[in-house]
Amino acid sequence: MDSISWTVIETQLDATRLHPQETVFTLGNGYLGTRGSFEEGYPGDCPATLIHGVYNDVPITHTELANCPDWLPLVIIVAGEKFSLSQGRILAYQRQLDLRLGLLSRDVRWCSPSGHTIDFHFERFVSLASQHVMAIRCQVTSVDFVGEIEVQSSFNSDRHIRGVKHWNVLNQGGSNNTFWLQAETTHSGVELGMAARLLCSEGDIPMQFQGTFGHPTLTTTFQAQPGQTVTLEKVVTVFTSRESDTPTEAAQKLLTELPTYASLLAAHVAAWANLWQDCDIIIEGDVKAQLAVRYNLFQLLVAAPRYDDRVSIPPKTLSGFVYSGHIFWDTEIFVVPFLTLTQPDLARNLLTYRYHTLPGARRKAQEAGYEGAMYAWESAGTGDEVTPRWVPSVKSGEMVRIWCGDIELHITTDVAYAVWHYWQATGDDHWMRRYGTEILLETAVFWGSRVEWNADSHCYEINDVIGPDENHEHVNNNAFTNGMVQWHLQTALSVWNWLQQEDSDRASELQQALNLTPERLQQWANITGHLKFSQDPDTGLIEQFDGFFQLEDVNLAEYEPRTKSMQAILGIEETNQRQILKQPDVLMFLYLLRQGVDRQTLQSNWDYYTQRTDHNYGSSLGPAIHAILGCELDKPAEAYTHFMRAAMVDLEDVRGNAGEGIHAASAGGLWQSVVFGFGGIQISNEGPIANPHLPPGWTRLQFRLQWRNQWYEFDMQQSAITGQQSVMVSTPTPHTPIPSAKIQGVIFDLDGVLTDTADFHYLGWKQLADEEGIPFSWEANEAMRGLPRRDSLLHILGNRPATEEQIQDMMERKNRYYLELIKEMTPANLLPGVLPLLKELRAAGIKVALGSSSKNADLVIRRLGIVDQLDAIADGYSVERPKPAPDLFLHAADLLHLAPEQCMVVEDAGAGVEAALAAGMWAVGLGPVERVGEAHVVLSTLEGVYWRDLLAKVTQSAQHLGIRQQIKV
Ligand code: BGC
């Protein structure tokens, strides 16, 4: 694998480019993002760690993602002088981001002001395998210095956003080699706990905890010798009250359970390898494009929430403060298509966020005097509108009225569009019934109340809006908005018909809730037939809004060269009066509904609007879309220029604003421009088909798409010798039939899967251990996870002698205590997600068994109230040999009358996963990769897990195995 096309390299430090480079080197894992600031700091730097959903109240923009306490600080002091790139001399420097591994590293040879030379190698990652874990390793090698080096490892809770501080520190502490911090947002009451450990390769050297309040710090020292390397490892955990009632305890607890830095890194790298297998795009013949595409995909993947469906991706991902972490149409229209066709679970998370924020959208509609749900132009935690109304002008400081929150309405339809396409591409009927239909229909209700009937011209109109081209405000009948609303209402009618046939209960529920009367449905049909849309019947040219063609025309070439947007040059009012587009509007509409657009219409509108668009300094959302349409019109060279504008927006800071954060929509658009543009992918009823338009120089383009649970691989080639447009396309090859389709039964482990009896076991063992005078801790209990009772007892006893009689007695006592304790159990002790999944399995006709080594399993499932949901029980009395022997699961399969390969096992213990694999079954591991990584599929919880997703995941994993086997052959 060549590293050039996977590695972003910076060979020189340019202090004037500190902020854009911090953005470029952002890391993340779908839970948090951390800008690429230096561990030791730099004057004027802008370190930031943002966590999805952690908003705090602020003036003007209402709420913003809080800049969390900084976990990076690691300061090295050489003979009293702090290692810093702003002092002493830098003799060698290289920083690199390895996209394949998700690893940021830096090599510096530094000469201190007093002339000591030291080599530093830093590396850092934000774990993709375990979302609450981050780590830094620093290797210090003295070149010529003999003497003491001091290390200070800390958190800094002083981080702010434009002077606004978001955190009140509640508490902090540290001992031995660990420290921790507890903080709470100043207004929204989100609590955060962070913990860290510091390890030094010098062994057990003393460490002191100190630091002022808000800066917990651990310091230590070691002796440097020329040629010797000392390694420091800072491993950090973080939780917020969004995931835990006691985030500080959760962070501390997880920290104690973590394996070595090397194991954490290995799990992280393995997780990335898996992800790239699905998402990578290979471009041959253009190294720059190859790297840029991977870079943009990397930044999307680190921003996409993996386990949370109440958050979404902001326009600057989790890498910058601009737009306050609010959610725009950028996500649904630009980013979601990439995820829908490569990581549908993640796309679904983002769309479910829109479901959860429907209440805010309802409030917005109601406050504005309409029915249904009207999505916020800018949305945050609740879905209420959080677009600022007035903002100070950068130029004059005067307050400028922002109208988008009031009248940029197309967002409502953009969400519906993404829902529809997700459903089409995945066939996820379950989600559509439960969530998607409500979004699509309730937003349709809004449009029904928003359109106006114009009796004179005998048509419906939508007046006083802003279209995607924000250079023009308060316009009537914006083509994009009207065209998309027409699509929306048509689609709502067909979805409604589908739902009535598919799920009459859900249909009547929605019929009542949304008052879907025959009259309302008839009105939707009328609107679709009579919504104003101005298009020249001969040329196909569409007017962007009423009166656009009457505005003053401008030759943009006359303003070149320029370094600012046309709006910045002419001012808001003047631009409003001219035919200058900030971003595609009519063309955007033609792109989204491209399947019904004829070539002449596309050509006429391209010819008219492209030259009137501010490609370089208007919106960064535009170039990728122009690239795609350029391909469609057989203009590969022109398309490539637009493509590169999008590709390099952050890597080369082509707009001069990369410092503000990653351009997420541009990155998502870039994926679309490769796949739909150069790859020419169209989605037909039979799946994706290709009609490539490779740009000059590209000899090969390869990628995979997932469509309705099936992967399709595309391999497109172009002759490099003749330079001809002779493109070879390998037809989509669906993978071999899916083994998971045969799965007919699911066997659940009990503890840690259906319920968590860990607390009860712990208390039982603790009582016994106390009586026996044996020290016993929660950590010791954790180490016994999955072990049968006897092995657990032997583990506790260690090398303390005990006769068989005593062993039996102790086992019996512990069991008595435990049985007493579990009498307290109720159905509330079922773990999140279990009951809906069991019900879904029942409904789908899948057999369900329990496969637990517990001898009390029967009692526990009775207390949990799920006896009726199980077809068979295999427990501690069923077989002789415990897990990891396959016997228990094989017995369960027998009871279900199924063959092993027809069974899926859900397990939380390594031994259980091993047993499932040994039985020849499909294994789903619950918990960290370090523990259950051998399973075919690893999940953190069953919450929000649907049966069809589990099947899809196993399918995927089966395909990966197939691919690996193919490679081996
Ligand atoms: C664009 C919008 C976009 C927003 C956030 C604006 O400049 O005009 O289309 O949603 O930025 O990226």
Side-chain angles (χ1 to χ4, degrees), residues 292-503:
V293 166
R294 283 191 173 136
Y295 176 75
N296 280 279
L297 299 187
F298 175 85
Q299 288 299 349
L300 292 177
L301 291 169
V302 302
R306 311 187 75 74
Y307 306 106
D308 193 343
D309 62 11
R310 289 175 184 267
V311 294
S312 186
I313 305 176
K316 299 290 175 191
T317 68
L318 297 176
S319 66
F321 309 138
V322 164
Y323 297 125
S324 308
H326 296 174
I327 310 305
F328 292 64
W329 73 317
D330 303 39
T331 318
E332 282 75 16
I333 296 298
F334 293 85
V335 179
V336 164
F338 159 54
L339 298 172
T340 295
L341 289 165
T342 62
Q343 298 287 296
D345 295 357
L346 304 192
R348 198 188 53 225
N349 279 347
L350 297 171
L351 297 174
T352 311
Y353 160 81
R354 291 297 189 179
Y355 175 82
H356 291 307
T357 49
L358 269 175
R362 282 179 200 128
R363 284 190 287 272
K364 180 170 175 187
Q366 204 183 14
E367 277 157 26
Y370 302 110
E371 294 178 89
M374 175 194 195
Y375 278 109
W377 174 245
E378 296 185 27
S379 170
T382 61
D384 289 287
E385 182 59 73
V386 287
T387 306
R389 288 206 145 189
W390 294 90
V391 297
S393 138
V394 187
K395 228 164 149 189
S396 61
E398 271 172 40
M399 295 305 271
V400 179
R401 177 70 161 90
I402 304 294
W403 287 101
C404 305
D406 306 72
I407 56 173
E408 190 155 358
L409 305 184
H410 63 87
I411 175 71
T412 294
T413 265
D414 304 330
V415 172
Y417 178 90
V419 163
W420 166 263
H421 281 273
Y422 165 78
W423 182 42
Q424 294 303 297
T426 59
D428 186 350
D429 292 350
H430 175 92
W431 186 87
M432 192 61 185
R433 282 198 299 267
R434 176 76 189 81
Y435 302 101
T437 41
E438 192 165 339
I439 296 178
L440 224 138
L441 294 169
E442 197 161 358
T443 45
V445 171
F446 160 69
W447 285 119
S449 71
R450 177 60 175 79
V451 296
E452 298 157 46
W453 175 250
N454 184 331
D456 295 337
S457 49
H458 215 71
C459 63
Y460 285 99
E461 299 190 334
I462 304 177
N463 294 322
D464 194 18
V465 300
I466 300 176
D469 165 26
E470 293 176 348
N471 275 356
H472 298 93
E473 297 176 336
H474 301 292
V475 303
N476 293 341
N477 297 307
N478 166 248
F480 179 95
T481 310
N482 287 21
M484 292 297 289
V485 168
Q486 188 184 39
W487 168 88
H488 187 161
L489 293 176
Q490 255 162 13
T491 308
L493 287 169
S494 72
V495 163
W496 173 242
N497 285 338
W498 171 81
L499 186 68
Q500 282 178 305
Q501 280 163 27
E502 187 75 11
D503 187 341

Side-chain angles (χ1 to χ4, degrees), residues 119 235 328 344 456 660 672 785:
D119 283 339
V235 174
F328 292 64
D456 295 337
E660 294 172 354
Q672 297 186 49
R785 190 186 276 266

